[in-house]
């Protein structure tokens, strides 16, 4: 039977426990139930959400080409401090494009990639799983590669945080990352090659798992 990930249409990335299987086995308990640390939303949260704001940031509706950069399949689970999945949560992500430019009027570094969505959102499923198809984050002046996350839903305060790439040399020079101290491990994700997920991509693809734990910070 075909892999669930390979059978997904580009506009409808199915989010379920089986769809997440292509990312690798998800841990039974997220980050030893230590709460995911809060971080700044930064200056580039979209002023206006794009019309196309699903969980596939690589292909924009109406555009003939897909985004520049290495495709990243990113998923995980959202859990509470007791380890139970958080139901009814919604996740937003936003990040710069492959040239380090955000889709935001305050970012004057150049025009953004029109084939990159820049912002995406999705709902978690019953087991707390979520998934995005985006690009591997890249650095820009003053910041190590990262992806912004916002988790919202009933019964808990919204959580804003950032996800970082394990082993990137600029992590040691990023003040926002360094201020986390030992807690940096909770928002640092190892990205692995995953050419099987994007066999047509010239630069291959990567996969990563970012589990999120809601709780007092």
């Amino acid at each position: 039977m075909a892999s669930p990930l390979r059978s997904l249409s580009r506009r409808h990335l199915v989010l379920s426990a089986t769809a997440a299987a292509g990312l690798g086995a998800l841990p039974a308990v997220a980050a030893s139930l230590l709460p995911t640390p809060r971080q700044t939303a930064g200056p580039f949260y979209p002023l206006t959400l794009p019309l196309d704001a699903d969980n596939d940031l690589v292909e924009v509706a109406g555009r003939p080409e897909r985004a520049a950069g290495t495709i990243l399949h990113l998923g995980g689970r959202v859990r509470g401090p007791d380890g139970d999945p958080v139901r009814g949560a919604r996740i937003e992500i936003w990040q710069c494009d492959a040239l380090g430019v955000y889709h935001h009027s305050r970012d004057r570094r150049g025009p953004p990639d029109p084939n990159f969505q820049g912002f995406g959102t999705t709902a978690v499923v019953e087991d707390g799983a979520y998934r995005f198809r985006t690009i591997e984050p890249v650095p820009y002046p003053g910041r190590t590669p990262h992806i912004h996350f916002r988790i919202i839903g009933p019964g808990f305060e919204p959580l804003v945080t950032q996800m970082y790439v394990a082993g990137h040399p600029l992590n040691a020079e990023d003040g926002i990352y360094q201020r986390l101290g030992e807690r940096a491990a909770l928002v640092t994700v190892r990205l692995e090659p995953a050419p099987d997920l994007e066999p047509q991509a010239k630069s291959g693809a990567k996969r990563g798992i970012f589990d999120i734990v809601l709780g007092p910070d």
Side-chain angles (χ1 to χ4, degrees):
M1 187 172 70
S3 163
L5 288 171
R6 292 189 179 183
S7 64
L8 299 179
S9 71
R10 80 171 181 87
R11 305 313 311 163
H12 299 284
L13 294 178
V14 178
L15 297 181
S16 66
T18 54
L23 296 173
L26 294 176
V29 178
S32 300
L33 298 184
L34 295 174
T36 300
R38 297 179 182 275
Q39 290 208 285
T40 174
F44 297 129
Y45 183 87
L47 296 175
T48 302
L49 300 186
L51 294 178
D52 191 1
D54 58 7
N55 63 335
D56 183 353
L57 285 68
V58 174
E59 299 189 52
V60 177
R63 299 290 305 180
E65 300 178 16
R66 65 186 180 193
T70 300
I71 296 175
L72 172 63
H73 288 259
L74 180 64
R77 287 196 174 99
V78 180
R79 296 176 182 269
D82 55 3
D84 291 337
V86 174
R87 298 179 177 87
R90 189 159 196 90
I91 300 179
E92 300 174 347
I93 67 170
W94 63 101
Q95 66 185 105
C96 66
D97 64 23
L99 295 178
V101 180
Y102 281 89
H103 285 256
H104 197 287
S105 59
R106 293 180 186 170
D107 194 338
R108 309 288 187 179
R109 287 168 293 189
D113 180 358
N115 299 313
F116 182 55
Q117 197 165 283
F119 173 92
T121 183
T122 192
V124 304
V125 293
E126 282 298 304
D127 64 353
Y130 74 90
R131 177 163 166 240
F132 288 96
R133 180 178 183 241
T134 184
I135 62 169
E136 180 179 6
V138 301
Y140 58 86
R143 291 305 315 274
T144 194
H146 61 281
I147 299 176
H148 295 270
F149 274 72
R150 181 171 179 254
I151 301 92
I152 55 177
F156 62 88
E157 288 293 320
L159 170 66
V160 176
T161 191
Q162 298 178 33
M163 185 215 85
Y164 301 88
V165 178
H168 198 283
L170 290 179
N171 290 346
E173 302 176 18
D174 189 292
I176 294 175
Y177 181 82
Q178 287 299 311
R179 281 197 292 273
L180 289 168
E182 293 182 353
R183 298 187 302 161
L186 302 173
V187 291
T188 305
V189 173
R190 185 164 301 282
L191 305 184
E192 304 288 349
D196 56 306
L197 297 182
E198 300 282 344
Q200 303 304 316
K202 294 180 180 179
S203 60
K206 293 186 177 180
R207 56 163 63 89
I209 296 174
F210 181 37
D211 286 323
I212 298 166
V213 178
L214 303 179
D217 186 19

